[in-house]
Amino acid sequence: MKNACVLLAMLAIALAGCSRDAGKQVGQVTVGFSQVGAESEWRTANTASVKSALVAPGFDLKFSDAQQKQENQIKALRSFIAQRVDVIAFSPVVESGWEPVLREAKAAGIPVVLTDRAVKVSDASLYASLIGSDFIEEGRKAGRWLLQDSTGKPGPIRVVELQGTVGSAPAIDRMKGFHEVIDTDPRFKLVRSQSGDFTRAKGKEVMEAFLKAEGGHIDVLFAHNDDMAIGAIQAIEEAGLTPGKDIRIVSIDGVRGAFEAMKAGKLNATIECNPLFGAQLAQLIRDVHAGKPVPKRIVVEEGVFTQDQAAAALPGRKY
Amino acid sequence: MAETTGTMAASSAISSRWGRGLRRCLAHPLLWPLLTLILLLAGNGLFNPGFLALQWRDGHLYGNLIDIAHRAAPLALVSLGMTLVIALRGLDISVGAVLAIAATVAAWTIGHVSNDGLLPLWLAIAAALAAGALCGLWNGWLVVGAGMQPIVATLILMVAGRGIAQSISGGQILTLYYAPYSFLGNGFVLGLPFSLFVVAAVFALLQLALRKTALGLFVRAIGHNPQAAHVAGVRARAITLGAYVFCGIAAALAGLLVSSNVNSADANNAGLLLELDAILAVALGGSLLGGGRFSLAGSLLGALIIQALTTTIYAIGVPPQVNLAVKAVLVFAVMLLQSPLCRGQLRALLRLRAERRA
């Protein structure tokens, strides 16, 4: 009798163990995802998109917020390795310093997918793929929009540029792409270019100085992100000019505020920098887990939005 | 060159009343900051003819000079608080973070009160100032009550403050669509930006408190020698605590101006590195960073000099990669100009050359 009891208890424990295992269904992929933080609306939208795409039954997501610190992120990656997840995905806070932890993941046989930002490593086999925006292409798109919008307009067209944070990858690449396109047309003259640190306050302050220095002879503003454009719009209005008409404005990101400004006719176009790549990421993770060959670089699908699309697109914007 | 040194020697030789007056004027502590500012603006005027122009547009003054004063207002407010704290041998490096907290608290308040009438405006101002005062109280308590070194005590809030602000804002930039609030940072009174009146009011109140009561004397006494002041019966602890609270409130006021200027509160970037600019403004204004000797008017001039430098950089079109280097060189030159030792050596050098030539 006593033995039967023990047997029964053991059976119960074994069954419980079984049922816990049953929680992980066949074919379910366990993913450890480490996000940069929650520093902007863009990032928050990115997190929401990833979380909503990597859901049961296909995925078991272990999410970790690094609060913009590399050490937190390395800790998170180590804990994913210890938990033996199937795939690790992360958006690196900085470019360098990833070699050791990526080698640990490789040794454990866990493939790594990078999202949004790149890493600098000596051995490219340390990660499977990088999915994210192509900042140079975004700059080119802004340039192309401007070319198209300026057809038939006589030169010289005086352009001012609000750059992002000096030395940051988006600032360098967006500038490069934009110049690649507009430098082919001699009508365009870049009269001022200064950093506005990606913020509204600096964008407004620098635009004020531009307007005074150029005496109002500015035809086009290119801002490396929407927030600086939103700040600059206020400066243009305070100078007694009409943003969107007297000065045509194109910026990058496609945040909600930009759509509101376009709807009000104050911003002409925004180039989408799409954070909603959760579904694309989910497909990539499935392929990587299945051992299929994947491209080393996957560019997110991104559009160009202009004023006439703004009102229709605004209610659907998630960020 | 020989002529100027000649007149200089002559002027120092004259001991008439006129000469004495001139010398007193030269020895005035505000002369050098003022001269620096005038030189900077005049240099800009030469370089860029339209720079000093003022226009009347849409019922207010419009021009670079107005921009400089308007943009310097938040820094000027913070510098006033910083001056008082530094005069008492302290330092507050949390002002940038406190500014961000106040800005976020104000935006959060407006977002959670129905947008009718002026009630949300007053609530937002009261909440922001209360948050600033609370931050100042915390800093002051750490310094006075817990006996921490000021730089360490305020470092805590400097690091934690942006986290607090972000948790209030939920990590987002809070955008405001409430017109009355926007008046604080964008409105005009009598053709001048409203922010200038805020600075003037705080400055006048502070001058009144320091000049018309014994408070100014106490502050100097504590700054020069805390032990002696204590023995003489000055309530050093209460006064120091009060200075930190005032500094917090000043930073909160600056936060209101900054956030209302762009109709949004950015917990990550509002007032970033402002503490360093504020300390620089205090130093440029001729206050002693070791405490004791201080000048509120000097700090205002210091804030104007810093903003004039920034606007100059934008106006002359320096490439953004070298912005900070250019600013550093200009600050270095200004500091050399203001150093009595350096000026003395320069004068001696000139005299030597003049003597050799003679």
Side-chain angles (χ1 to χ4, degrees):
Chain A
M1 191 61 203
K2 205 178 179 184
N3 277 350
C5 263
V6 171
L7 211 72
L8 217 77
M10 278 173 75
L11 202 71
I13 290 167
L15 269 175
C18 272
S19 68
R20 205 183 300 146
D21 260 0
K24 188 186 161 165
Q25 289 155 3
V26 190
Q28 189 180 43
V29 187
T30 311
V31 181
F33 183 78
S34 167
Q35 179 62 287
V36 173
E39 77 279 11
S40 64
E41 292 181 21
W42 190 96
R43 188 68 58 190
T44 321
N46 181 233
T47 303
S49 165
V50 168
K51 277 185 176 167
S52 67
L54 301 179
V55 286
F59 296 95
D60 177 20
L61 176 65
K62 297 182 191 306
F63 183 85
S64 151
D65 183 333
Q67 293 169 335
Q68 286 152 285
K69 289 209 173 56
Q70 185 177 31
E71 53 176 291
N72 291 346
Q73 212 158 22
I74 290 177
K75 263 185 225 155
L77 297 193
R78 291 224 161 99
S79 105
F80 292 151
I81 295 169
Q83 293 173 55
R84 301 250 148 218
V85 298
D86 296 321
V87 178
I88 290 174
F90 79 111
S91 186
V93 175
V94 291
E95 278 193 340
S96 50
W98 298 106
E99 250 216 66
V101 72
L102 288 181
R103 282 192 194 290
E104 286 166 34
K106 196 182 177 188
I110 303 172
V112 175
V113 171
L114 303 177
T115 65
D116 178 42
R117 301 182 181 185
V119 295
K120 271 188 188 145
V121 283
S122 59
D123 177 5
S125 74
L126 287 177
Y127 66 91
S129 180
L130 161 62
I131 179 169
S133 303
D134 182 346
F135 298 136
I136 298 183
E137 185 56 28
E138 287 167 1
R140 285 194 204 112
K141 279 181 185 162
R144 277 187 223 121
W145 174 85
L146 182 59
L147 273 185
Q148 201 187 2
D149 196 58
S150 307
T151 38
K153 289 204 170 77
I157 296 170
R158 299 165 67 84
V159 183
V160 295
E161 181 182 32
L162 285 173
Q163 299 181 20
T165 307
V166 173
S168 70
I172 294 168
D173 291 351
R174 286 170 182 175
M175 181 156 68
K176 195 172 157 196
F178 183 73
H179 287 273
E180 234 174 64
V181 175
I182 66 156
D183 287 352
T184 58
D185 190 328
R187 284 180 301 163
F188 293 107
K189 239 185 104 185
L190 188 79
V191 288
R192 297 265 160 178
S193 181
Q194 181 59 259
S195 170
D197 268 338
F198 283 132
T199 66
R200 290 185 194 187
K202 274 280 168 196
K204 183 173 180 182
E205 183 178 346
V206 174
M207 193 65 198
E208 273 178 6
F210 281 178
L211 285 162
K212 266 143 208 151
E214 295 300 323
H217 301 303
I218 298 171
D219 300 307
V220 175
L221 163 67
F222 168 49
H224 286 188
N225 80 342
D226 290 337
D227 280 311
M228 288 191 294
I230 292 167
I233 285 170
Q234 294 181 12
I236 294 169
E237 285 178 328
E238 279 165 25
L241 298 169
T242 314
K245 288 206 174 63
D246 296 331
I247 298 176
R248 287 175 290 149
I249 306 168
V250 54
S251 60
I252 298 175
D253 268 1
V255 299
R256 219 185 147 75
F259 278 83
E260 281 161 2
M262 280 199 291
K263 200 177 156 193
K266 294 172 181 174
L267 178 71
N268 297 83
T270 184
I271 314 302
E272 188 181 33
C273 179
N274 191 356
L276 308 178
F277 51 72
Q280 270 178 294
L281 177 65
Q283 186 53 45
L284 176 65
I285 287 174
R286 250 182 244 123
D287 290 348
V288 166
H289 183 57
K292 287 186 199 162
V294 291
K296 205 75 193 172
R297 180 81 172 88
I298 295 176
V299 177
V300 175
E301 292 150 18
E302 296 177 329
V304 178
F305 290 91
T306 51
Q307 281 180 357
D308 32 308
Q309 300 157 314
L314 184 57
R317 298 306 290 179
K318 293 205 175 96
Y319 58 99
Chain B
M1 192 69 89
E3 244 181 56
T4 50
T5 40
T7 49
M8 252 164 103
S11 75
S12 57
I14 292 170
S15 56
S16 69
R17 190 177 291 171
W18 170 242
R20 219 176 295 149
L22 187 74
R23 224 191 267 173
R24 195 178 297 158
C25 194
L26 277 174
H28 195 280
L30 284 185
L31 174 83
W32 292 102
L34 196 63
L35 203 67
T36 310
L37 185 61
I38 292 171
L39 272 176
L40 250 176
L41 295 177
N44 261 311
L46 280 177
F47 208 75
N48 189 345
F51 191 87
L52 300 176
L54 280 177
Q55 294 171 355
W56 188 262
R57 194 180 279 195
D58 298 334
H60 60 80
L61 282 170
Y62 178 88
N64 275 313
L65 292 179
I66 297 293
D67 276 358
I68 291 173
H70 178 48
R71 292 272 159 219
L75 177 60
L77 284 172
V78 172
S79 306
L80 287 177
M82 189 69 90
T83 309
L84 216 55
V85 169
I86 286 179
L88 290 163
R89 295 195 165 193
L91 195 64
D92 186 348
I93 56 171
S94 72
V95 285
V98 173
L99 185 152
I101 293 176
T104 321
V105 164
W108 185 89
T109 309
I110 290 172
H112 284 74
V113 181
S114 61
N115 279 8
D116 41 293
L118 288 177
L119 180 70
L121 176 66
W122 295 119
L123 278 178
I125 293 174
L129 295 186
L134 210 63
C135 290
L137 205 61
W138 162 258
N139 281 334
W141 180 79
L142 285 182
V143 172
V144 175
M148 280 191 191
Q149 298 216 31
I151 193 165
V152 178
T154 53
L155 181 74
I156 297 170
L157 195 58
M158 177 194 172
V159 175
R162 289 195 185 272
I164 295 170
Q166 278 193 42
S167 61
I168 297 169
S169 71
Q172 305 284 342
I173 297 175
L174 298 176
T175 305
L176 296 166
Y177 303 97
Y178 175 62
Y181 186 66
S182 147
F183 179 82
L184 298 178
N186 294 309
F188 289 88
V189 175
L190 303 173
L192 289 171
F194 178 68
S195 57
L196 301 191
F197 292 90
V198 176
V199 177
V202 172
F203 177 70
L205 275 175
L206 211 53
Q207 282 288 34
L208 216 65
L210 291 174
R211 290 263 167 95
K212 296 289 170 193
T213 70
L215 199 60
L217 186 69
F218 290 167
V219 168
R220 283 192 173 79
I222 298 166
H224 281 301
N225 191 335
Q227 277 81 26
H230 177 71
V231 171
V234 176
R235 293 174 61 199
R237 291 163 63 95
I239 291 175
T240 308
L241 188 71
Y244 280 97
V245 171
F246 173 74
C247 193
I249 294 175
L253 266 176
L256 287 170
L257 293 184
V258 166
S259 64
S260 89
N261 183 254
V262 285
N263 294 319
S264 60
D266 184 344
N268 260 323
N269 294 306
L272 203 60
L273 298 181
L274 189 74
E275 48 282 347
L276 299 182
D277 272 349
I279 294 168
L280 183 60
V282 172
L284 285 173
S287 296
L288 215 58
L289 289 186
R293 201 184 77 206
F294 70 97
S295 162
L296 293 172
S299 297
L300 286 188
L301 282 174
L304 285 171
I305 291 172
I306 291 173
Q307 189 55 44
L309 278 177
T310 310
T311 308
T312 304
I313 287 171
Y314 295 151
I316 61 178
V318 175
Q321 290 77 5
V322 294
N323 272 0
L324 294 176
V326 171
K327 196 169 172 182
V329 169
L330 287 171
V331 166
F332 180 64
V334 168
M335 285 301 204
L336 281 186
L337 182 70
Q338 294 205 14
S339 148
L341 194 69
C342 183
R343 283 204 307 270
Q345 282 171 348
L346 205 68
R347 215 173 292 147
L349 205 71
L350 289 176
R351 202 171 297 151
L352 204 69
R353 280 182 61 180
E355 275 167 14
R356 258 194 215 150
R357 207 173 285 178

